[in-house]
Amino acid sequence: RLNTALRDPAAAADIGAEYGADIVIIGEAFSEADGRKNGMFSCRARVEARAVSTKNAQILGADGKHAGGLDNTELVAGKTALRNAGSSMADYFIDAICEANIGTGGGQSTANKQSEIVINNADFSSLMKIEKYLKSYSGITSVSKKMTGKTARISITHSGELDVIAGSLSDGKSGVSLEVTGFGTNKFEAVLF
């Protein structure tokens, strides 16, 4: 069941709702040895997690953080690295959840919001199609774009929910095939394929 919840926000929301939580944070973490530094064991850790509203399975934030840790023993160095990465992730989630206005209506307000879309493996032709689609999308009032190498960044001002916009692009409605690879309160990342 937890494996399903890692991939499916609705399954994660169901687990959180069983325990009376408003938000559930679910993810994975690991650490591994990174050799020795100054006679001490060094480990690196990575934490990947997302916060999900149990009310509507909306992803309030999703990210991955990594950090290092040193100690006289490898096991404690690994735990230190995990704690450091987890602390960084906690800071991220506090900001993401506060931005989502949880507790003051259960989601973002309908006022205009600024969001960023980052598209990797982009080309100019696809970027133009996505821009045209976004400009015609109901609830988006402005679109600006820039592209560096194979990475395109699109800033939008919108009144609707960002996850709905992301889903629309993921469904290929712009005429371009892309996959959403990361999602937060006011930003999502995707890759063209």
Side-chain angles (χ1 to χ4, degrees):
R1 184 169 179 205
L2 286 175
N3 285 336
T4 301
L6 286 169
R7 296 183 308 275
D8 181 8
D14 288 344
I15 291 172
E18 282 180 28
Y19 294 94
D22 293 327
I23 298 167
V24 63
I25 296 176
I26 189 163
E28 300 176 293
F30 68 91
S31 70
E32 63 184 13
D34 189 29
R36 286 181 160 254
K37 294 182 181 174
N38 299 326
M40 298 185 78
F41 286 96
S42 171
C43 288
R44 296 290 295 166
R46 179 153 177 89
V47 175
E48 297 176 353
R50 65 174 128 188
V52 178
S53 168
T54 57
K55 178 180 177 182
N56 56 12
Q58 177 186 2
I59 298 173
L60 305 173
D63 206 353
K65 303 288 185 188
H66 56 86
L70 289 172
D71 196 82
N72 290 328
T73 68
E74 184 177 341
L75 181 62
V76 175
K79 287 183 176 186
T80 301
L82 285 166
R83 183 189 68 229
N84 292 341
S87 177
S88 179
M89 195 63 140
D91 291 341
Y92 164 79
F93 280 130
I94 289 170
D95 289 341
I97 291 168
C98 288
E99 286 178 21
N101 295 322
I102 298 302
T104 59
Q108 292 181 331
S109 70
T110 57
N112 281 345
K113 300 169 275 225
Q114 298 286 327
S115 296
E116 181 182 40
I117 303 167
V118 178
I119 302 173
N120 296 302
N121 197 33
D123 59 69
F124 186 74
S125 174
S126 296
L127 178 58
M128 296 304 290
K129 288 179 184 177
I130 293 169
E131 179 190 31
K132 181 178 179 182
Y133 174 74
L134 291 172
K135 284 183 174 179
S136 70
Y137 193 94
S138 176
I140 295 179
T141 56
S142 74
V143 179
S144 64
K145 67 183 181 312
K146 64 181 177 180
M147 186 169 167
T148 306
K150 292 284 213 174
T151 302
R153 295 183 179 276
I154 303 171
S155 296
I156 60 172
T157 303
H158 59 102
S159 58
E161 296 296 331
L162 187 60
D163 57 345
V164 176
I165 297 168
S168 179
L169 286 171
S170 182
D171 288 343
K173 293 183 179 175
S174 66
V176 174
S177 297
L178 60 79
E179 178 184 355
V180 175
T181 57
F183 191 89
T185 303
N186 59 354
K187 176 181 178 180
F188 73 84
E189 296 186 31
V191 62
L192 287 181
F193 58 90

